[in-house]
Amino acid sequence: DTEVTQTPKHLVMGMTNKKSLKCEQHMGHRAMYWYKQKAKKPPELMFVYSYEKLSINESVPSRFSPECPNSSLLNLHLHALQPEDSALYLCAAAYQGGFEAFFGQGTRLTVV
Amino acid sequence: KNEVEQSPQNLTAQEGEFITINCSYSVGISALHWLQQHPGGGIVSLFMLSSGKKKHGRLIATINIQEKHSSLHITASHPRDSAVYICAVRSSYNTDKLIFGTGTRLQVFP
C-alpha cells in the first residue's frame, strides 16, 4: 500500500489534448513534489509545493502547469505536450522539506 | 561529473549472496536516502541517514560523512530484491531538493 496515490496509472494523449495528473495524500505532509523520469534515468525534479505554495519550479516548460488546491491534493495540468514528454511522472510528499519523502506509483504518460 | 555517483551500475547475484552498493557524493548534505524502484515505477524509501548506520530486516545502510560515502548492503539476497536501487542526497543549502544518483540495477537469480 502506498500513502501517496496517483491517478491515472497510465495515460495516452495526443499533442493537442488537455489532460491532468492527480496526486493525493492524507498524511498531513506539507511538501509535495512532481518528478519526471525517463527510462533508465533517475527522476528529475519539476516542481515543489510547500504549504500549498509553489516554492520551486525547475524551469519547466509552461505546457506543464502545477496546481495545489489544498494540502492533500496536487495536480499537474498538461497541454500541447510533445512526444519527448512521454515519461513516468512521479509525485512525492514529505512532512516538510528535508524530511523523508514518500513516493506514489507514478503515471506512465505517452504522448502520440 | 555527477554530484552523486553510484557503483556498480549493474549487478547480478545468486540467491543468498551478500550484496553491496556504493554511493559517493560531492556536495554538503543534510541527509542521504536509499530508494528502491521496481519495474512499473513506484519508488519506495528504504532509509534516510544523516550519520552512522541503520538496519531494517536484511538491509543495512551506512554513511561516512567525512568521506562523503554511503553503502547499502543486502544480506541473504533473494530474487524479490531485484530492482533499481537509487541513492539520493538532500543538499544542505536547499533541503527541498533531492539530488539523485543514476541507480544500480540489481538482478538476483534463484
Side-chain angles (χ1 to χ4, degrees):
Chain A
D1 285 348
T2 178
E3 298 178 13
V4 177
T5 305
Q6 287 187 244
T7 54
K9 288 190 167 41
H10 300 274
L11 178 62
V12 179
M13 62 184 288
M15 289 189 283
T16 58
N17 291 159
K18 282 186 183 182
K19 296 285 184 185
S20 297
L21 308 185
K22 181 177 165 182
C23 174
E24 202 160 357
Q25 58 94 8
H26 297 285
M27 300 177 287
H29 290 348
R30 306 317 297 262
M32 295 185 77
Y33 309 78
W34 280 117
Y35 290 88
K36 173 183 175 180
Q37 187 178 25
K38 301 285 275 184
K40 299 192 178 182
K41 297 286 187 185
E44 299 170 26
L45 183 65
M46 300 175 72
F47 302 104
V48 180
Y49 272 82
S50 182
Y51 290 86
E52 300 162 50
K53 287 188 169 30
L54 184 64
S55 61
I56 295 178
N57 176 342
E58 290 285 285
S59 303
V60 178
S62 60
R63 57 186 184 269
F64 295 92
S65 173
E67 180 198 17
C68 189
N70 59 59
S71 60
S72 299
L73 196 52
L74 184 67
N75 297 320
L76 186 63
H77 302 298
L78 314 172
H79 173 53
L81 294 194
Q82 303 296 311
E84 60 264 28
D85 296 321
S86 299
L88 180 70
Y89 288 84
L90 290 158
C91 174
Y95 176 68
Q96 288 180 33
F99 284 71
E100 184 175 9
F102 296 89
F103 286 81
Q105 291 295 307
T107 294
R108 193 162 296 280
L109 174 69
T110 304
V111 182
V112 296
Chain B
K1 189 178 188 302
N2 291 340
E3 292 168 304
V4 181
E5 297 273 359
Q6 282 185 242
S7 64
Q9 287 188 329
N10 294 286
L11 184 55
T12 57
Q14 287 297 125
E15 185 173 356
E17 284 185 8
F18 180 85
I19 287 161
T20 296
I21 300 170
N22 295 300
C23 175
S24 297
Y25 54 91
S26 56
V27 296
I29 69 167
S30 61
L32 181 143
H33 298 254
W34 281 103
L35 308 168
Q36 180 192 55
Q37 187 170 32
H38 279 281
I43 290 179
V44 174
S45 177
L46 298 175
F47 295 103
M48 186 174 81
L49 293 163
S50 53
S51 65
K53 178 179 174 177
K54 286 190 176 179
K55 184 175 189 292
H56 185 240
R58 295 180 294 106
L59 301 177
I60 303 166
T62 63
I63 188 168
N64 184 319
I65 297 292
Q66 285 73 33
E67 293 185 5
K68 295 189 172 178
H69 181 269
S70 175
S71 293
L72 176 69
H73 305 286
I74 306 175
T75 61
S77 60
H78 190 277
R80 65 173 174 267
D81 297 326
S82 299
V84 176
Y85 291 83
I86 304 170
C87 171
V89 301
R90 205 173 283 286
S91 77
S92 49
Y93 63 86
N94 185 345
T95 57
D96 271 340
K97 285 189 71 168
L98 276 175
I99 306 169
F100 290 85
T102 50
T104 295
R105 191 171 299 272
L106 170 66
Q107 280 190 295
V108 181
F109 293 100

